[in-house]
Amino acid sequence: MNLSEIPLIEQHAHNILKSEVAANYPFAAAFTEGYDPEIVNYHAKHTLFYRRSLREIATLLNCEPEETAILAHRQNLGLENLTRIYFEAANLEAIYLDDGLTPENILPISWHQQFTTVKRILRLELLAEKLLSQIDEFHTFVNAFIKEIDPPSPDIVAFKSIACYRSGLDVRPVAPAVAAVHFYDFKKLQKKNDLPLRLNDKQLIDFILQQSLIVAAKYKIPVQLHTGLGDPDLDLRLANPLNLRYLIECPQYKNAPLVLLHASYPYMREAGYLASMYPQVYLDFGLAVPFLSVAGMRNTIRQLLELIPTTKLMYSSDAHSIPELYYLGAKWGRQLLGEVLDQAIKDTDITVKEAEEIALGILRENALSLYGLRLKDG
């Protein structure tokens, strides 16, 4: 199936780096979740993803498939022209941006809006950290946090949590009195050690996420959750989405749609199982596409579709830092979804007409439906 004509809703991505930051950002760093210099400067260049991507980028830019030639071509074009080339090639209808990843280094949402429709994803832990740095009293902090998200600003299409990175997905109930103790202990520790403020207290993280889910349920605003693959800051053993069972089964949060990001790689079947059993659970396959090998991306999409209702799966790339990732995700997301659906037709799972409807849903309509109320409000 050729799906190139379907405009994409990129339902989870990140901002592009400022030019002055990008000048000191190794190109290969965008092709790995690792950040050790030996990984970035050597090993990342020997992944199948990196080698494949150089050829694809060079074909689009009409230059040699070598990093030096690509970097020279990028500099000659300039960031705005370069981004326009990639976004147009990706056929992006809209992007939902989590602007909480290194916010001091990225271009604002307004810059991205010159290329396509952009909506904001609010990163909950970043908001909490901002308020923690300003407020010394627990109840004042909680009230300020709730005030920031209830009601959600019209420009916000979803909430996002990185609890998976900081303390894992086994989120449990936390009484306000317990959260208060941890709040004051956390503040004392920060002041004593004079450390940069980084929220990593599990009780506080769990408490904040559950307060956010109450608001999300009230307005039916989706909550995106990092699951599965991430950088070394994450404990992959705690990133299995099966750990979310308490949150998923808690009646208080049932009306809060949960979007499990990144195909929960390598826990694709577990994530697909959850989405098939619980009405509020949805998935995307960003990061797994385009970061894996071609076979890996194909297998990921195939495993997700083994059990999941096709109305529960959405496209994203988790693109960040450089515009190339938006194009690479779009290219391989469309191509491999088409291949998997073609095989499903041969297997007699679906008809050609059903495959066309499924492709349209995954690449566009499912996201428009899930985030529709927020889009209309915005």
Side-chain angles (χ1 to χ4, degrees), residues 19-162:
S19 295
E20 59 270 26
V21 176
N24 298 311
Y25 181 78
F27 190 62
F31 296 84
T32 175
E33 287 290 286
Y35 43 71
D36 186 284
E38 187 176 346
I39 292 291
V40 171
N41 296 319
Y42 179 69
H43 293 294
K45 298 183 180 183
H46 294 271
T47 61
L48 302 186
F49 173 39
Y50 179 81
R51 292 177 184 271
R52 179 186 77 234
S53 297
L54 287 188
R55 295 192 300 274
E56 292 159 356
I57 292 166
T59 298
L60 189 62
L61 298 184
N62 194 25
C63 66
E64 290 299 312
E66 302 289 341
E67 185 177 299
T68 52
I70 289 170
L71 291 176
H73 214 75
R74 292 172 99 253
Q75 187 170 4
N76 289 337
L77 282 168
L79 185 56
E80 287 192 10
N81 289 332
L82 189 73
T83 302
R84 186 167 287 107
I85 287 170
Y86 286 123
F87 278 29
E88 288 179 358
N91 190 11
L92 296 172
E93 179 177 339
I95 301 171
Y96 305 162
L97 282 180
D98 168 10
D99 59 354
L101 181 64
T102 63
E104 68 281 2
N105 295 328
I106 58 175
L107 289 160
I109 284 177
S110 57
W111 183 88
H112 297 75
Q113 287 173 330
Q114 65 185 300
F115 308 108
T116 188
T117 299
V118 182
K119 290 288 181 177
R120 183 179 179 224
I121 300 167
L122 174 66
R123 186 178 288 219
L124 298 167
E125 288 81 8
L126 188 69
L127 171 61
E129 287 173 344
K130 174 187 171 184
L131 296 175
L132 275 164
S133 70
Q134 301 169 351
I135 299 171
D136 292 325
E137 203 276 324
F138 175 71
H139 292 292
T140 305
F141 163 75
V142 174
N143 291 336
F145 183 85
I146 298 296
K147 187 177 179 181
E148 287 283 341
I149 64 173
D150 186 0
S153 172
D155 68 319
I156 293 172
V157 74
F159 297 153
K160 156 80 180 293
S161 173
I162 55 168

Side-chain angles (χ1 to χ4, degrees), residues 148 188 270 279 334:
E148 287 283 341
K188 286 178 185 176
E270 290 87 338
R334 285 192 181 95

Side-chain angles (χ1 to χ4, degrees), residues 16 71 163 210 222 233 240 267 290 320:
I16 292 168
L71 291 176
Q210 289 173 87
D233 190 35
N240 188 325
Y267 306 110
H320 61 87

Side-chain angles (χ1 to χ4, degrees), residues 163-164 167-173 202 206 209-210 225-228 234-250 258 260 264 267 270-271 273-274 278:
C164 183
S167 54
L169 294 177
D170 187 18
V171 179
R172 294 291 171 175
K202 177 170 174 52
D206 287 5
L209 175 55
Q210 289 173 87
L225 298 172
H226 183 104
T227 59
L234 173 150
D235 186 338
L236 192 59
R237 295 167 297 183
L238 304 177
N240 188 325
L242 295 180
N243 287 306
L244 290 167
R245 185 165 180 175
Y246 165 74
L247 284 188
I248 293 171
E249 294 191 344
C250 182
L258 301 178
L260 310 185
S264 299
Y267 306 110
E270 290 87 338
Y273 171 79
L274 292 174
Y278 299 100

Side-chain angles (χ1 to χ4, degrees), residues 158-228:
F159 297 153
K160 156 80 180 293
S161 173
I162 55 168
C164 183
Y165 271 102
R166 300 295 176 82
S167 54
L169 294 177
D170 187 18
V171 179
R172 294 291 171 175
V174 181
V178 174
V181 171
H182 282 261
F183 173 88
Y184 292 117
D185 287 346
F186 178 78
K187 295 284 287 187
K188 286 178 185 176
L189 186 63
Q190 290 289 313
K191 290 178 181 178
K192 178 182 178 181
N193 296 329
D194 194 27
L195 297 170
L197 200 152
R198 182 178 184 275
L199 181 57
N200 57 6
D201 182 283
K202 177 170 174 52
Q203 301 294 325
L204 272 181
I205 290 169
D206 287 5
F207 179 79
I208 288 164
L209 175 55
Q210 289 173 87
Q211 295 300 306
S212 303
L213 286 169
I214 293 171
V215 176
K218 179 179 175 182
Y219 296 98
K220 296 187 178 179
I221 183 170
V223 179
Q224 299 184 350
L225 298 172
H226 183 104
T227 59

